[in-house]
Amino acid sequence: MKNLGVPTILGIPFDGHSSYLRGAGEVPGKIRAALHCDASNNWTESGVELDRAGVYEDAGDLELSETNAFAVIEGSVTALLDRGKRPVMLGGDHSITYPIIKAVGLRYPRLTIFHFDAHPDLYDELDGDRLSHACPFARIMEAGLAKRLVQVGIRTINGHQREQAQRFGVEVIEMSSLPAYHRLKEAGPVYISFDMDVLDPAFAPGVSHREPGGMSVREAVAHLHAIEGEIVGADVVEYNPVQDLGGVTATAAAKVLKEILGKMISG
Ligand code: MN
Ligand code: MN
């Protein structure tokens, strides 16, 4: 297996382009706390011991203001790639995936994105904001930053976004057609963008836009495990602690993070 670099966590506490609710400030710390919580151990289901020194690293959290955020995010992800690391971002609202992919897409011009979400996030603009968390994949595809965009778990697509998906050649796998393990295979570089609201609100109430009829944690993990390709980066976004109940969503986010790290390490 190719050495793609050590997975390295980068916290991005930014929700400046969230259209409905705020609450991302404490997110990376809460997901880390759940990851290290003594209620579970540090072995992934794929058999990787995350406590073993050097299997992954943590670059801490970015300090961001609303005006410089996107430039700092793009620059910081580029810096990690320059150091030979594989960036794993803890969000933040989903708007951050655009500056992240500006950096990752430049490094890997034949990039495939596997995007887990209740929403396609393909709006041309929302409430006059073209950088809204409802728009990142329109910006990414317009800029030609990904060869393939495969969206999994979608259950809110409307007429405009269906047109956008057609325009950009997006492969939309709606929630109603899961499981779709065979659609998650790719020979080249792969980036995973995981919006926590792909999970059913029963499993992950701590999101800004609760959308019933979603994945169980088990279904999400099964689809993550089914991914084939060279995973060069990932993000876990849209966790909103303000909406969480008893930390259950932080625990679910940590589980998703853990299995993504395991997948990156064990291939
Ligand atoms: Mn999203
Ligand atoms: Mn979403």
Side-chain angles (χ1 to χ4, degrees), residues 109-113 141 144-149 168-169 186-188:
R110 305 282 298 159
L111 189 67
T112 290
I113 303 174
M141 297 312 278
L145 294 168
K147 177 191 70 166
R148 244 184 115 196
L149 172 60
F168 298 126
E186 178 58 53

Side-chain angles (χ1 to χ4, degrees), residues 47-68:
V48 173
E49 187 184 12
L50 292 178
D51 271 351
R52 220 173 61 230
V55 294
Y56 80 95
E57 293 173 9
D58 193 329
D61 292 353
L62 294 181
E63 288 203 19
L64 300 165
S65 73
E66 297 228 353
T67 48
N68 73 2

Side-chain angles (χ1 to χ4, degrees), residues 24-101:
E26 306 164 82
V27 166
K30 284 193 189 287
I31 299 177
R32 276 193 196 90
L35 180 68
H36 300 300
C37 177
D38 288 338
S40 187
N41 64 41
N42 271 284
W43 286 76
T44 71
E45 291 190 15
S46 53
V48 173
E49 187 184 12
L50 292 178
D51 271 351
R52 220 173 61 230
V55 294
Y56 80 95
E57 293 173 9
D58 193 329
D61 292 353
L62 294 181
E63 288 203 19
L64 300 165
S65 73
E66 297 228 353
T67 48
N68 73 2
F70 277 23
V72 172
I73 293 167
E74 186 185 342
S76 306
V77 174
T78 300
L80 284 179
L81 291 167
D82 285 346
R83 285 164 48 209
K85 312 293 184 188
R86 274 188 290 174
V88 179
M89 277 56 66
L90 302 181
D93 73 43
H94 217 156
S95 71
I96 64 170
T97 300
Y98 175 40
I100 292 169
I101 295 295

Side-chain angles (χ1 to χ4, degrees), residues 206-218:
V207 296
S208 298
H209 302 262
R210 290 177 183 157
E211 190 63 41
M215 286 188 190
S216 65
V217 175
R218 187 73 259 153

Side-chain angles (χ1 to χ4, degrees), residues 94 115 117 121 133 195:
H94 217 156
H115 166 207
D117 206 324
D121 295 348
H133 68 158
D195 182 327

Side-chain angles (χ1 to χ4, degrees), residues 244-266:
D244 205 0
L245 300 170
V248 68
T249 312
T251 305
K255 172 79 177 178
V256 165
L257 170 64
K258 198 168 160 179
E259 294 307 316
I260 289 174
L261 287 172
K263 187 79 196 165
M264 292 174 86
I265 295 159
S266 66

